[in-house]
């Protein structure tokens, strides 16, 4: 019970920009998840081309210790999907792709482009978006929900069980 309480407390004071760190800490407190999952957290706030952020996502993935793709730099969402599938097949531990906007709780959030969300909805695997709307067939968590971190960890646990 202590880790879940800790997780809920973390959400109460969550700066959404710290989502990757807080989420990683919460997962590390869960013995059944610790070192069994690979999180890829993508902050969409800095995207230069929100309609086709594939190259920027790939760059952020490399920063999070994902291996380089032998087929070159994915310039499109279609090629990024192929890279994502390659990663999913080549890893022992399940991958979790979490997109969020670090400005989500500000007066002028950047948000996500419909084109990007539509493309992302075509990807397979454990993918979620931390945003207010879930109209694209993606798992969505609101940045304002009271137990955001606990809910995302619960979703990760659920996805882990599906893979067994």
């Amino acid at each position: 019970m202590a880790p879940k309480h800790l997780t809920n407390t973390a959400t109460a004071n969550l700066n959404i920009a710290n989502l990757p760190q807080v989420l990683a800490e919460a997962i590390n407190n869960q013995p059944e998840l610790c070192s069994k999952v690979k999180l890829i957290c993508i902050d969409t706030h800095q995207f230069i081309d929100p309609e086709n952020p594939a190259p920027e996502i790939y760059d952020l993935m490399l920063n999070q210790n994902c291996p380089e793709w032998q087929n070159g730099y994915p310039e499109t969402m279609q090629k990024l999907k192929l890279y994502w599938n390659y990663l999913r097949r080549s890893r022992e531990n399940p991958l979790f792709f979490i997109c969020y906007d670090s400005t989500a709780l500000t007066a002028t959030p950047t948000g996500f482009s419909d084109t990007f969300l539509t493309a992302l909805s075509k990807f397979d695997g454990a993918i979620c978006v931390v945003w207010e709307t879930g109209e694209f067939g993606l798992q969505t968590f609101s940045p304002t929900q009271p137990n955001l971190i606990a809910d995302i960890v619960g979703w990760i646990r659920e996805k882990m069980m599906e893979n067994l």
Side-chain angles (χ1 to χ4, degrees):
M1 279 310 221
K4 186 167 184 164
H5 172 71
L6 240 168
T7 307
N8 292 341
T9 305
T11 303
N13 304 314
L14 178 65
N15 174 345
I16 202 78
N18 297 329
L19 180 71
Q21 297 85 354
V22 176
L23 199 49
E25 187 179 298
I27 287 172
N28 287 338
N29 288 329
Q30 307 287 323
E32 71 279 13
L33 300 178
C34 180
S35 74
K36 293 185 179 118
V37 300
K38 165 76 172 151
L39 293 180
I40 299 171
C41 296
I42 304 296
D43 181 1
T44 60
H45 169 60
Q46 297 292 332
F47 287 170
I48 291 171
D49 183 358
E51 299 294 316
N52 178 34
E56 292 174 276
I57 291 173
Y58 176 71
D59 189 54
L60 291 169
M61 291 171 79
L62 293 179
N63 288 346
Q64 295 177 49
N65 299 318
C66 289
E68 288 190 31
W69 195 31
Q70 295 79 16
N71 296 336
Y73 215 79
E75 315 85 24
T76 63
M77 289 300 288
Q78 183 179 13
K79 289 184 179 178
L80 185 68
K81 179 182 176 183
L82 296 174
Y83 173 65
W84 169 250
N85 288 339
Y86 160 75
L87 289 180
R88 289 180 56 231
R89 282 190 299 272
S90 63
R91 290 198 54 95
E92 290 177 24
N93 294 337
L95 291 172
F96 289 85
F97 193 87
I98 300 165
C99 286
Y100 68 102
D101 170 13
S102 60
T103 66
L105 300 176
T106 66
T108 56
T110 303
F112 302 94
S113 85
D114 288 355
T115 303
F116 167 67
L117 291 175
T118 300
L120 195 60
S121 72
K122 309 266 191 258
F123 285 41
D124 291 325
I127 297 172
C128 76
V129 178
V130 179
W131 189 240
E132 292 298 339
T133 157
E135 301 165 10
F136 292 89
L138 293 164
Q139 175 66 52
T140 305
F141 297 94
S142 168
T144 59
Q145 66 191 68
N147 298 318
L148 175 62
I149 300 300
D151 292 345
I152 294 174
V153 170
W155 170 74
I156 290 171
R157 185 178 291 110
E158 206 174 277
K159 287 292 189 185
M160 291 286 292
M161 294 303 216
E162 288 176 13
N163 288 336
L164 297 177

